[in-house]
Amino acid sequence: MNGPLLEVHDLVAGYHRDLPIVDGASLSVSASEMVVLLGPNGAGKSTLMKAICGLVLVMGGAIRLDGRDLAGVPTHAAIAAGIGYVPQVQNVFVTLTVEENLRAGGFGTTPQVTRERIAEAYARFPLLAEKRRQLGGALSGGQRQVLAIARALMTQPRLLLLDEPSAGLAPKAAQEVFAAVRGISAGGVGVLMVEQNVKAGLAASDRGIVLVQGRPVLVDKAEALARDPRLTRAFLGERVA
Ligand SMILES: Nc1ncnc2c1ncn2[C@@H]1O[C@H](COP(=O)(O)OP(=O)(O)OP(=O)(O)O)[C@@H](O)[C@H]1O
Ligand SMILES: [Mg+2]
C-alpha cells in the first residue's frame, strides 16, 4: 500500500466527552520512519498515543492504519491491526521474570509462535537472553525499557508507539534504547515516540512533531526542527502556528 502507514486526521480525544484533550490533531507516520512527538507537560502527548491504541475516548476524526479506520476500536482490535504500545509508566511486570514478561506480550498467539518470537527477541536483544530468569523488577531502567519494547514486539506490530522510552535513564542508557528503536524502524516498523529529551529525541528521529494544547503546531524533518527557533517558543507557550 502506498501512502503513510499511520494517518491521524483531525483527531479529538480525551477522558470525558465534553473535555477534549487531543483537539484537532493530524499527523502521519510511514513504515520505517521514526517520528518524535514533543511538547510541554500536559500537552496531550500520552493521550494522543492512548487514543491511537483505543485506550481513551475518541470524539471525532480518523485514525487510519494502512487505510483502515481504527478510531474508537477497542485496544485488542488495535493490537490485532498491527499497533504495539509501550506506556509511559508501569510498562513491565516487576514480579514476573524477563521470559514471563515476553510470554505475556505474546498472549493470543500459539505457544509455538510465542516460543519463536521469544527466540527472536533474544537474538535481537542478547541482554534479555542473559537475564531471562531475572525478575522485571531487578532490571535497570534501561534494561526495563528494552524489555518493555521487546514485549510490545511480540505481536509483530507494524507501528510501535513509545511513550518516553528514555525517561529516568542516564544519557548512555538512553542512547542504547534509541539505537534499539532505530534498528526496529530500519526493519520496516513505523515508530511514534514521545520524548522529553528534545535534543536526543530529534537526533534519533527522522521527523518531529511539537504538540501544544492537543494540536501539532510544528511538524518538520528532525534536523530542521532542531535548528528552528520556534521550537523553544512553542515549549514556552508562545503561539508559533
Ligand atoms: N486519566 C486521566 N483522566 C483525566 N484527565 C487526564 C488523565 N490523564 C491525563 N489527563 C489530563 O490530560 C491532559 C494531557 O495529559 P497527557 O498525559 O496526555 O499529557 P502529556 O503531554 O503526555 O504530558 P507529560 O509530558 O507530563 O507526560 C492533562 O491536562 C492531564 O491532566
Ligand atoms: Mg505523557
Side-chain angles (χ1 to χ4, degrees), residues 46-212:
S46 295
T47 307
L48 174 55
M49 290 211 155
K50 289 182 203 164
I52 295 170
C53 60
L55 287 166
V56 297
L57 283 173
V58 173
M59 283 85 89
I63 300 167
R64 283 189 280 269
L65 192 72
D66 274 340
R68 185 173 151 206
D69 195 0
L70 294 181
V73 306
T75 304
H76 65 83
I79 290 171
I83 291 177
Y85 170 55
V86 179
Q88 185 169 354
V89 288
Q90 296 175 337
N91 53 24
V92 305
F93 296 111
V94 293
T95 57
L96 297 184
T97 65
V98 165
E99 187 145 320
E100 286 164 346
N101 266 279
L102 293 173
R103 210 175 293 135
F107 187 81
T109 53
T110 64
Q112 165 73 18
V113 169
T114 299
R115 273 195 298 277
E116 287 167 14
R117 292 187 186 168
I118 289 176
E120 286 167 23
Y122 288 159
R124 187 193 283 274
F125 305 115
L127 170 102
L128 296 182
E130 269 170 48
K131 308 249 173 199
R132 67 210 291 165
R133 288 185 229 293
Q134 290 201 20
L135 295 182
L139 301 182
S140 72
Q143 293 166 348
R144 272 193 214 197
Q145 282 302 337
V146 168
L147 174 57
I149 292 166
R151 200 186 59 195
L153 291 178
M154 288 292 291
T155 54
Q156 295 195 325
R158 285 173 297 151
L159 175 76
L160 190 59
L161 304 173
L162 302 173
D163 200 343
E164 299 202 22
S166 81
L169 302 187
K172 185 165 176 285
Q175 286 309 325
E176 284 168 9
V177 169
F178 289 149
V181 176
R182 281 216 69 86
I184 293 160
S185 102
V189 175
V191 176
L192 182 63
M193 171 176 88
V194 173
E195 260 303 319
Q196 286 291 349
N197 189 334
V198 175
K199 210 171 155 199
L202 284 169
S205 302
D206 300 307
R207 246 172 357 109
I209 298 171
V210 182
L211 197 75
V212 176

